[in-house]
């Protein structure tokens, strides 16, 4: 029995090793492809959007906002690229504020909050590049699936921590932001919206 269990353990270890060995070249090719397509060249533009999240919005009015919300809820936003940028940025900042509060009250260690913020920035930037500057439908398709999964995760996190005031509030905000962002991402993916000028969102 012990010998058989040992053989099974060895087989499992070899299978895992083979799987990892097969994945490494694929990951290397993926990073090479991203680098060749300029995936790291838009950090400056994204950083500008982070600190000026409404810079792409002009002629803002309540009626225009309501019209945009209605169009988004029907899966047909008027300005998918600009809307995507806005909600992507909002989702990131909700996460940042959440981590700062956690670190301030000692719920999370400072290094955990820093790692979470860096991870959030990386994800937000990658999604920004994929849907705003990349016309690659393969990246867009899997990034859209990832965005939807994030929305579901944040929604479940919000409902699972209802007795903790801070966590469900920010998880709910992130769920809404990533959900609306996903709608805009879907519109971009199913059209040529990413080829349009992403600098103007007129709400009038």
């Amino acid at each position: 029995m012990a010998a058989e269990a040992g053989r099974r353990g060895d087989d499992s270890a070899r299978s895992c090793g083979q799987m990892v060995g097969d994945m490494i070249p694929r990951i290397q090719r993926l990073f090479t492809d991203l680098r060749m397509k300029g995936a790291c060249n838009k950090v400056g533009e994204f950083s500008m959007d982070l600190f000026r999240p409404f810079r792409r919005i002009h002629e803002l009015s309540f009626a225009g906002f309501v019209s945009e919300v209605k169009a988004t809820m029907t899966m047909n936003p008027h300005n998918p690229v600009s809307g995507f940028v806005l909600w992507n940025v909002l989702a990131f900042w909700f996460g940042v504020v959440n981590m700062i509060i956690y670190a301030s009250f000692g719920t999370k260690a400072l290094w955990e909050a820093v790692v979470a913020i860096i991870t959030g920035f990386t994800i937000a930037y990658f999604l920004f590049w994929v849907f705003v500057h990349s016309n690659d439908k393969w990246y867009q398709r899997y990034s859209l699936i990832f965005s939807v999964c994030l929305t579901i995760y944040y929604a479940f996190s919000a409902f699972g921590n209802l007795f903790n005031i801070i966590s469900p509030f920010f998880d709910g905000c992130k769920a809404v932001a990533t959900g609306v962002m996903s709608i805009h991402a879907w519109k971009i993916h199913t059209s040529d919206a990413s080829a349009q000028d992403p600098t103007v969102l007129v709400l009038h």
Side-chain angles (χ1 to χ4, degrees):
M1 293 290 292
E4 183 178 352
R7 284 195 298 272
R8 290 179 179 176
D10 292 340
D11 291 340
S12 298
R14 281 194 294 270
S15 298
C16 290
Q18 182 65 37
M19 186 181 301
V20 172
D22 292 340
M23 288 179 61
I24 290 177
R26 296 180 183 179
I27 294 174
Q28 290 175 335
R29 288 195 297 270
L30 178 63
F31 276 99
T32 300
D33 184 58
L34 289 171
R35 187 172 62 252
M36 291 178 62
K37 291 181 177 179
C40 300
N41 297 340
K42 301 296 180 179
V43 177
E45 180 184 340
F46 177 67
S47 299
M48 189 178 298
D49 281 314
L50 284 182
F51 293 101
R52 295 176 56 196
F54 298 100
R55 74 185 184 95
R56 299 172 186 264
I57 299 179
H58 302 279
E59 302 179 30
L60 178 64
S61 71
F62 179 75
F65 176 76
V66 171
S67 175
E68 185 69 19
V69 169
K70 289 181 179 179
T72 301
M73 292 302 101
T74 58
M75 306 294 288
N76 190 33
H78 300 312
N79 305 86
V81 174
S82 299
F84 173 86
V85 171
L86 174 62
W87 289 101
N88 184 32
V89 167
L90 290 177
F92 169 76
W93 282 117
F94 285 139
V96 169
V97 174
N98 195 12
M99 286 300 106
I100 291 175
I101 293 175
Y102 275 155
S104 299
F105 286 94
T107 306
K108 288 185 180 294
L110 180 60
W111 71 267
E112 290 180 296
V114 171
V115 169
I117 291 173
I118 293 174
T119 302
F121 178 88
T122 303
I123 293 173
Y125 171 72
F126 180 74
L127 293 175
F128 167 82
W129 176 79
V130 167
F131 289 106
V132 177
H133 291 288
S134 171
N135 291 318
D136 192 308
K137 296 299 182 182
W138 187 88
Y139 285 120
Q140 289 183 358
R141 179 168 62 253
Y142 286 99
S143 295
L144 177 57
I145 294 172
F146 177 75
S147 299
V148 172
C149 290
L150 272 183
T151 302
I152 296 172
Y153 169 76
Y154 290 139
F156 273 101
S157 295
F159 283 109
N161 296 284
L162 289 178
F163 295 104
N164 182 343
I165 298 176
I166 296 176
S167 181
F169 173 76
F170 283 102
D171 283 337
C173 289
K174 288 185 286 186
V176 171
T178 54
V180 177
M181 179 190 74
S182 297
I183 294 175
H184 287 82
W186 176 83
K187 181 65 175 179
I188 294 171
H189 176 64
T190 56
S191 66
D192 294 326
S194 58
Q196 301 172 2
D197 180 4
T199 59
V200 179
L201 171 56
V202 179
L203 299 180
H204 55 72

